[in-house]
Amino acid sequence: MSVCVCVCVCVCVCVYHIFIIHSSDVGHLDLFPHLGCCEQCSNKHPCASVSCILTYIPSATRTSGKMDKPLISRRLMDSDGSLAETPSGTPKVGILGSGDFARSLATRLVGSGFSVVVGSRNPKRIAGLFPSSVHVTFQEQAVSSPEIIFVAVFREHYSSLCALSDQLAGKILVDVSNPTENEHLPHRESNDEFLASLFPACTVVEAFNVISAWTRQAGPRDGNQQVPICSDQPEAKLSVSEMVHAMGFKPVDMGPLASTREVEAMPLRLLPGWKVPTLLALGLFVCFYGYNFIRDVLHPYVQENKNKFYKLPVSVVNTTLPCVAYMLLSLVYLPGVLAAALQLQRGTKYRRFPDWLDHWLQHRKQIGLLSFFCAVLHALYSFCLPLRRSHRYDLVNLAIKQMPPPACAPAPACPSLSTPDNTLTSRNPAAREMTVLMEGP
């Protein structure tokens, strides 16, 4: 019963730790420090220095960074003509491409109050895949009026857009593509750098490349809210960041366009923050497992000639897991204590921590989850041990029942089965099996 209570408490604490505490401080990167609140209106949103682009967005779609309402579905837009119509004067955004990303992005932009124009080589075929308020046309017409154009095509198709170079001159191209692992290794330049070399008269900005299509369509409630933005032009970066805010996400300034190489490599990394904590947990497990093996198995075998190697898969592991869990749990709280002591020594909290302490603080969540995983395994092994002992006692009873009565005496006392020289043990295989089982834990 106590084990069940402990497991339930650990589950509740872990769920609260992940979904409540860490949801309030998603990421620790600095957002745009130069974005302020609009002085011409009372809404808390970043505005451009020339004009507030968000004043053109309907007030029903402005939700201070988070979309409280679900996206407008195609069925709803078709049934209600007022929702299918885009208000006049709304900001117009262009999209080049008709894939899954372009569809999810167009749906999100429409739900955020933007007027969307999609350019395709075959607009009649793919017009039914987009909301009815989205204007699907040819690429030449789609890039004529919008100032911000999303490029939602693969890298190998960038060259097909060179025919639009005159119409794209002076516009902002937002690249949303990501290279695959095979493409990323041979190319030294990123997709955005390659796109900027093809269109030198345009301003290239990278955004939304680490956000999945589902998150873009369903909103930031079901995924990461951060959108890394890279560009060499601060004005273009500011315009795209305002659009990101209007869509319910949080822009993160990742620096110039050269930083896109690192940003594009983010989706290619498999659990990047788990490498060090996992190696740490494995190292602790090996150390404690070796110590328990020497103490519980090897030492009795050498000193007393007792064979206890049967303890390796269950008993030794079950003894090791709580030790690892406690050690990992202590490593979760120790860096906070060290950081507090360092701040007290320095007399300020505005100085940066050392790199080793900073990395340690960033891995606390992973270390805590690994500690919880070890505790859960320990609980499962603890449940299995009584079942194992019960099965062993059943075998002992079966062995006792199979022993024949001795013929030398009418009512002999039950001989000691633990005596090595007992003739009954040497004659009966079931008795020998029982002797081995009785020596177990």
Side-chain angles (χ1 to χ4, degrees):
M1 181 63 67
S2 60
V3 176
C4 297
V5 174
C6 293
V7 172
C8 294
V9 172
C10 292
V11 170
C12 295
V13 171
C14 183
V15 171
Y16 175 82
H17 185 69
I18 296 175
F19 294 99
I20 303 298
I21 297 178
H22 290 280
S23 62
S24 61
D25 56 350
V26 178
H28 301 281
L29 300 176
D30 294 332
L31 301 180
F32 289 85
H34 53 276
L35 295 180
C37 296
C38 181
E39 299 177 355
Q40 301 177 358
C41 60
S42 60
N43 295 328
K44 300 296 183 179
H45 59 264
C47 303
S49 57
V50 180
S51 62
C52 179
I53 191 174
L54 297 181
T55 56
Y56 298 99
I57 302 176
S59 59
T61 60
R62 269 185 262 125
T63 56
S64 68
K66 291 185 178 180
M67 302 298 293
D68 296 333
K69 296 182 178 180
L71 292 178
I72 302 175
S73 62
R74 176 62 187 271
R75 182 183 303 176
L76 180 60
M77 297 180 66
D78 292 339
S79 61
D80 192 350
S82 61
L83 294 177
E85 296 177 358
T86 303
S88 59
T90 56
K92 183 174 291 187
V93 181
I95 300 177
L96 293 177
S98 57
D100 294 336
F101 184 89
R103 291 194 294 268
S104 62
L105 183 62
T107 306
R108 188 64 184 172
L109 288 171
V110 169
S112 301
F114 290 91
S115 176
V116 181
V117 181
V118 177
S120 175
R121 291 173 294 181
N122 193 350
K124 294 183 179 180
R125 187 182 65 180
I126 57 98
L129 302 177
F130 290 86
S132 57
S133 60
V134 176
H135 180 54
V136 182
T137 181
F138 291 97
Q139 294 180 349
E140 295 79 4
Q141 301 174 2
V143 300
S144 59
S145 56
E147 293 296 327
I148 299 179
I149 300 173
F150 286 88
V151 181
V153 297
F154 293 105
R155 179 191 179 108
E156 57 267 20
H157 300 309
Y158 285 170
S159 57
S160 63
L161 304 177
C162 294
L164 307 174
S165 57
D166 295 335
Q167 296 176 277
L168 294 175
K171 298 182 181 294
I172 299 176
L173 299 182
V174 182
D175 180 42
V176 297
S177 63
N178 269 327
T180 61
E181 188 172 0
N182 296 331
E183 295 174 348
H184 187 75
L185 294 178
H187 297 292
R188 294 186 177 180
E189 61 179 359
S190 62
N191 290 1
D192 299 85
E193 293 174 324
F194 178 65
L195 183 63
S197 63
L198 295 178
F199 301 94
C202 301
T203 302
V204 178
V205 180
E206 182 185 59
F208 291 101
N209 68 314
V210 298
I211 303 297
S212 63
W214 167 254
T215 303
R216 284 187 296 269
Q217 184 172 350
R221 296 170 300 174
D222 298 331
N224 188 13
Q225 299 182 10
Q226 292 184 346
V227 177
I229 298 178
C230 301
S231 180
D232 294 332
Q233 299 294 331
E235 295 80 5
K237 193 184 302 183
L238 179 61
S239 301
V240 176
S241 69
E242 293 173 352
M243 183 178 298
V244 171
H245 270 293
M247 296 172 66
F249 296 94
K250 297 179 181 179
V252 179
D253 190 353
M254 298 298 292
L257 204 62
S259 303
T260 56
R261 304 176 187 178
E262 181 181 357
V263 176
E264 289 180 354
M266 290 180 180
L268 303 178
R269 301 169 184 169
L270 179 62
L271 302 176
W274 288 84
K275 182 178 180 180
V276 175
T278 303
L279 293 177
L280 176 63
L282 289 177
L284 291 175
F285 182 84
V286 171
C287 293
F288 281 106
Y289 188 84
Y291 170 76
N292 292 324
F293 167 73
I294 295 175
R295 187 192 64 176
D296 298 337
V297 178
L298 190 59
H299 182 267
Y301 181 77
V302 174
Q303 297 293 332
E304 304 174 8
N305 198 20
K306 292 183 178 180
N307 188 356
K308 295 186 177 183
F309 286 91
Y310 59 88
K311 291 185 176 182
L312 290 178
V314 179
S315 299
V316 178
V317 175
N318 192 39
T319 308
T320 304
L321 287 174
C323 301
V324 178
Y326 280 121
M327 285 295 299
L328 293 176
L329 188 62
S330 63
L331 294 178
V332 172
Y333 294 99
L334 181 58
V337 177
L338 297 178
L342 186 61
Q343 289 178 348
L344 292 175
Q345 181 184 3
R346 293 175 174 178
T348 179
K349 64 176 182 180
Y350 298 104
R351 290 181 59 184
R352 184 177 179 86
F353 294 127
D355 292 338
W356 61 271
L357 184 57
D358 186 43
H359 293 163
W360 193 354
L361 291 170
Q362 293 178 3
H363 288 102
R364 287 182 298 175
K365 181 173 68 175
Q366 289 83 356
I367 296 175
L369 290 176
L370 289 175
S371 174
F372 173 73
F373 177 71
C374 293
V376 171
L377 286 182
H378 173 60
L380 295 177
Y381 270 85
S382 300
F383 280 121
C384 294
L385 280 176
L387 300 178
R388 179 174 175 269
R389 291 193 179 97
S390 176
H391 180 66
R392 184 185 63 194
Y393 291 144
D394 292 339
L395 292 178
V396 171
N397 293 332
L398 180 61
I400 293 176
K401 293 178 181 179
Q402 291 179 356
M403 287 189 302
C408 57
C414 182
S416 177
L417 298 176
S418 61
T419 306
D421 298 333
N422 192 293
T423 57
L424 182 60
T425 303
S426 60
R427 291 183 304 175
N428 197 331
R432 290 198 302 269
E433 180 67 19
M434 183 187 64
T435 304
V436 175
L437 293 174
M438 289 296 292
E439 292 180 354

